[in-house]
């Protein structure tokens, strides 16, 4: 039976009883000698004064850029990648597109956008891009983040940490459902985030104008529409285009151990959370029950080509497994209890990015992974949402689980009723078994090719660069450009993700770090080191930083060029038009063959994060810039070139430091 319980920050309870009729609980006999009364806050991570979705109706709409601005920005991004003849040809094609078929497509896009004011012009095309992709989601789309350890060492055992993170995750879900999760707001002045008068003022504004009240104090609410698919959701493989499935009524947790599937309810119909000691007992039982690997693990199918997986899933349904698949798809989320202890961050990255395949269901909206030593991380399916929602979830759950743990070390697990935990058994015929074996072999072969490199630079971080009046992000991006130039002798097509969550149903926009300025700076630092004064080199860094800041601002305001061009191309395909010459231009193809794919998700809860390279000859660079140091996690299929790139990156950052401190380059 599920019963309500109070979150007492790890304080052991001897006795509970209800007080009154509003769900209050009194705690008695606490080991720390504290007597307190707690209301239903034990169900939530916090209680926000402002309702969670208060700003959704009044969020501004993502602007459709002017076509001439998009073409101008596109050509600026192309210029450093092309020689003069190539650029003139691409410029001609772009101008013809702007005056001809591009203008017609743009006009149609604008008209369609005006008719669909409930969403953004990029939302449906972006969903289609993900869901129509036939490549496996693992390595190609699913990113990962690793959480920092619990500051209290005794709380980092596998079952203890899993229980606390599960409870905090369900509290986050309850907060979201009951509209008491704090809305995502970017505060230019953080003092307003603590202002009760401001929050009360905003709370009573009609939802149709609530955003404008926030803007009065330079506070910018963010879109939270993606949160509805954070829980109880899965990507379902279908022929040619997958579907996103959500069942908000699901109350059970999916737990995986050694390739076996278990489900048990963690919520009752009114939102009460299963007592932590009972969750702990369920997890202990699962660890004991799943003591060996299955001969054939169904999980490998989620690593397959999506059309192949769609066909095999239909076979699973026809073989009588539909109910079990629905239990997987509708589970609150997936908890993976791994039987490994990574010895370093490189092994941890491999574990969270792809693992061994048999203990993951990569189609779930997210999987919480706990290794044998209590290290925790998240692997998430990318089509439903972006890093903003996932990082907010990670931040809240990490903070709640470490500050208000549901159970403490040496806590006795509750009694277990065998009927409350169900192990899912599947009917597998020869055809399905053959498909599982084929998927496993392909997965293992691909995993052998992927390399991970860890990098830390401890000589400066955000504080130093801000004092130098430089953008920390711009400096890291410049260092990546220099490194590629030093290693390959040329500038490379680069990509940096930027959220457009300030707009209704915004997703991301692309920042193109490669510019004429970074090309010149890279060439000078690598090939003409002794020909320029320290002052000249410093000025080049300054100019790169200023230009990168401008690109960041344009992207965040929906004024990049990539999503606009993507929407125009998508519209042309949907209408069945002949593909415009603009999108067939080899320069367009080259620009979108991303060698340096980069993303940063700063968070106090995150140890490392990463993703697979988007091109077979490229690098996937997940980076973070801390106050006094910076680091990154880089993936690549180029086993030889990856360590060389890391060496070049350290060289480039040392060069930048020398110049910033007034030393000439050796």
């Amino acid at each position: 039976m599920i019963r309500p319980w109070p979150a007492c920050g790890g304080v052991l309870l001897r006795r509970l009883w209800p007080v009154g009729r509003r769900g209050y609980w009194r705690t008695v006999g606490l080991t720390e000698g504290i007597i307190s009364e707690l209301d239903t806050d034990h169900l939530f991570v916090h209680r926000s004064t402002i309702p969670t979705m208060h700003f959704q109706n009044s969020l501004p709409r993502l602007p459709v850029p002017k076509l001439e601005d998009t073409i101008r920005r596109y050509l600026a991004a192309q210029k450093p990648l092309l020689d003069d003849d190539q650029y003139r040809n691409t410029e001609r094609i772009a101008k013809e597109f702007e005056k001809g078929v591009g203008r017609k497509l743009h006009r149609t896009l604008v008209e369609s956008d005006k008719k669909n004011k409930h969403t953004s012009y990029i939302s449906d095309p972006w969903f289609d891009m993900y869901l129509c992709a036939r490549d496996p989601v693992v390595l190609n789309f699913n990113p990962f983040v690793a959480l920092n350890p619990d500051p209290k060492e005794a709380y980092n055992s596998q079952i203890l940490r899993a229980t606390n993170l599960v409870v905090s995750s369900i509290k986050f879900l309850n907060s979201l459902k009951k509209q008491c999760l704090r809305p995502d707001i970017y505060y230019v002045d953080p003092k307003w985030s603590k202002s009760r008068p401001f929050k009360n003022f905003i709370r009573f504004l009609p939802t149709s104008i609530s955003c404008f009240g926030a803007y009065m104090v330079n506070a910018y609410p963010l879109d939270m529409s993606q949160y509805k698919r954070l829980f109880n959701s899965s990507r379902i493989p279908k022929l040619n285009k997958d579907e996103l499935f959500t069942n908000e009524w699901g109350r059970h947790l999916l737990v995986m151990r050694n390739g076996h599937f278990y489900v048990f309810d963690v919520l009752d119909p009114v939102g009460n959370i299963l007592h932590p000691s009972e969750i702990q007992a369920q997890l202990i039982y699962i660890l004991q029950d799943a003591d060996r690997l299955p001969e054939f693990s169904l999980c490998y199918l989620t690593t397959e080509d999506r059309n192949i997986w769609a066909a095999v899933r239909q076979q699973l349904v026809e073989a009588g497994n539909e109910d079990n698949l629905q239990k997987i798809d509708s589970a609150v989320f997936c908890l993976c209890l791994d039987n490994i202890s990574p010895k370093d961050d490189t092994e941890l990255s491999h574990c969270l990015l792809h693992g061994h395949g048999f203990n993951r269901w990569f189609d779930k909206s997210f999987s919480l992974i706990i290794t044998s030593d209590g290290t925790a991380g998240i692997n998430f399916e990318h089509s439903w949402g972006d890093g903003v929602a996932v990082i907010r979830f990670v931040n809240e759950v990490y903070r709640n689980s470490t500050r208000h743990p549901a159970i403490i070390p040496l806590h006795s697990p509750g009694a277990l009723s065998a009927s409350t935990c169900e192990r899912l058994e599947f009917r597998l015929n020869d055809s399905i078994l053959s498909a599982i074996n084929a998927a496993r072999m392909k997965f293992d072969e691909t995993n052998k090719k992927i390399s991970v490199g860890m990098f830390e630079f401890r000589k400066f971080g955000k504080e130093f660069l801000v004092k130098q009046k430089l953008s920390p992000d711009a400096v890291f991006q410049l260092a990546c450009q220099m490194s590629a130039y030093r290693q390959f002798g040329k500038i490379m097509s680069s990509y940096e993700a930027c959220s457009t969550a300030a707009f209704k149903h915004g997703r991301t926009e692309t920042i193109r770090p490669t510019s004429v300025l970074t090309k010149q700076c890279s060439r000078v630092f690598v090939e003409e080191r002794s020909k320029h004064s320290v002052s000249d080199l410093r000025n080049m860094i300054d100019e790169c930083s200023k230009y990168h800041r401008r690109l960041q601002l344009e992207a965040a305001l929906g004024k990049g060029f990539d999503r606009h061009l993507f929407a125009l191309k998508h519209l042309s395909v949907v209408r069945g038009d002949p593909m415009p010459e603009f999108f067939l231009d080899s320069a367009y193809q080259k620009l979108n063959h991303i060698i340096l794919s980069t993303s940063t998700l700063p968070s106090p809860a995150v140890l490392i994060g990463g993703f697979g390279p988007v091109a077979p000859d490229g690098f996937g660079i997940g980076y973070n810039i801390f106050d006094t140091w910076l680091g990154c996690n880089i993936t690549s299929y180029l086993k030889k070139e990856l360590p060389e790139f890391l060496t070049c990156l350290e060289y480039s950052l040392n060069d930048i430091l020398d110049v910033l401190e007034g030393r000439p380059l050796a």
Side-chain angles (χ1 to χ4, degrees), residues 157-174:
S157 66
Q158 185 176 35
I159 292 297
L160 187 68
R161 192 156 199 216
T163 303
N164 284 327
L165 286 170
V166 166
V167 171
S168 293
S169 298
I170 303 303
K171 289 165 71 175
F172 184 97
L173 169 60
N174 278 344

Side-chain angles (χ1 to χ4, degrees), residues 18 39 131 147 197 254 265 326 329 403 567 570 612 619 630 644:
D39 65 6
L131 297 175
L147 278 63
L254 171 66
D265 283 354
Q326 287 182 349
D329 297 335
R403 295 182 182 180
H570 179 269
F619 302 93
L630 59 86
E644 293 175 359

Side-chain angles (χ1 to χ4, degrees), residues 93-153:
I93 293 172
K95 292 297 183 181
E96 290 176 358
F97 178 78
E98 179 185 348
K99 295 175 183 177
V101 64
R103 187 159 301 279
K104 295 177 182 177
L105 288 169
H106 176 75
R107 189 181 302 120
T108 302
L109 180 66
V110 170
E111 291 172 355
S112 173
D113 184 57
K114 289 178 179 178
K115 295 176 183 176
N116 294 279
K117 295 185 177 181
H118 64 285
T119 187
S120 68
Y121 78 89
I122 196 60
S123 183
D124 284 347
W126 207 241
F127 275 121
D128 283 351
M129 182 272 293
Y130 275 116
L131 297 175
C132 291
R134 299 295 84 191
D135 293 326
V137 294
V138 62
L139 292 179
N140 295 302
F141 297 103
N142 287 25
F144 78 89
V145 291
L147 278 63
N148 281 312
D150 191 302
K152 302 178 291 296
E153 183 60 34

Side-chain angles (χ1 to χ4, degrees), residues 61 72 160 223 307 328 399 457 477 547 602 618:
R61 302 193 63 236
R72 173 177 53 80
L160 187 68
D223 179 76
N307 278 345
I328 292 173
R399 182 187 300 114
F457 189 79
Q477 291 290 343
Y547 186 71

Side-chain angles (χ1 to χ4, degrees), residues 442-628:
K442 280 191 275 187
F443 175 78
D444 289 344
E445 187 63 29
T446 302
N447 283 351
K448 292 176 184 176
K449 299 175 183 177
I450 191 77
S451 294
V452 175
M454 304 301 302
F455 177 83
E456 291 184 4
F457 189 79
R458 296 278 176 174
K459 296 181 181 179
F460 67 75
K462 186 185 303 180
E463 291 178 352
F464 172 77
L465 294 173
V466 170
K467 287 179 181 177
Q468 296 286 327
K469 298 182 179 180
L470 294 169
S471 159
D473 190 70
V475 170
F476 180 81
Q477 291 290 343
L478 176 60
C480 289
Q481 296 291 312
M482 287 183 181
S483 303
Y485 195 95
R486 179 170 279 111
Q487 183 172 3
F488 300 106
K490 59 182 179 180
I491 214 77
M492 296 289 192
S493 179
S494 303
Y495 174 109
E496 180 183 355
C498 177
S499 173
T500 52
F503 301 97
K504 182 178 292 185
H505 292 189
R507 293 291 304 244
T508 61
E509 181 54 90
T510 303
I511 300 169
R512 294 287 183 168
T514 306
S515 68
V516 171
L517 293 172
T518 61
K519 181 178 183 178
Q520 178 192 22
C521 192
S522 298
R523 179 176 55 80
V524 167
F525 269 70
V526 175
E527 297 177 351
E528 302 175 4
R529 300 167 64 83
S530 60
K531 296 181 181 179
H532 296 265
S533 67
V534 172
S535 176
D536 287 343
L537 296 174
R538 171 61 196 253
N539 287 337
M540 290 181 189
I541 295 173
D542 287 343
E543 290 303 310
C544 289
S545 178
K546 291 175 186 176
Y547 186 71
H548 189 79
R549 276 192 171 122
R550 191 180 103 190
L551 293 180
Q552 283 181 306
L553 181 61
E554 288 178 348
L557 294 177
K559 295 180 179 180
F561 68 85
D562 276 88
R563 298 300 176 264
H564 187 197
L565 291 178
F566 179 86
L568 296 178
K569 182 180 180 182
H570 179 269
L571 179 59
S572 179
V573 172
V574 169
R575 294 187 349 171
D577 296 343
M579 185 58 66
E581 182 186 8
F582 179 89
F583 299 113
L584 298 175
D585 181 14
S586 60
Y588 178 85
Q589 306 294 332
K590 180 180 179 180
L591 181 68
N592 289 288
H593 184 83
I594 307 297
I595 301 300
L596 303 178
S597 179
T598 71
S599 183
T600 182
L601 291 172
S603 162
V606 172
L607 175 67
I608 52 175
F611 50 92
V614 300
D617 55 345
F619 302 93
I621 306 173
Y623 65 99
N624 217 334
I625 304 172
F626 301 93
D627 287 342
T628 59

Side-chain angles (χ1 to χ4, degrees), residues 270-322:
V270 296
N272 290 321
I273 305 173
L274 183 67
H275 196 283
S277 64
E278 295 176 38
I279 293 175
Q280 181 186 25
Q282 300 281 12
L283 300 183
I284 291 173
Y285 166 78
I286 289 169
L287 251 62
Q288 294 170 346
D289 187 67
D291 58 348
R292 64 192 66 187
L293 296 175
E295 185 177 359
F296 293 90
S297 176
L298 208 64
C299 301
Y300 287 113
L301 294 174
T302 65
T303 73
E304 257 288 12
D305 169 274
R306 301 306 291 180
N307 278 345
I308 294 176
W309 174 203
V312 179
R313 181 181 169 107
Q314 185 58 36
Q315 292 181 42
L316 283 165
V317 170
E318 292 170 356
N321 298 292
E322 187 170 11

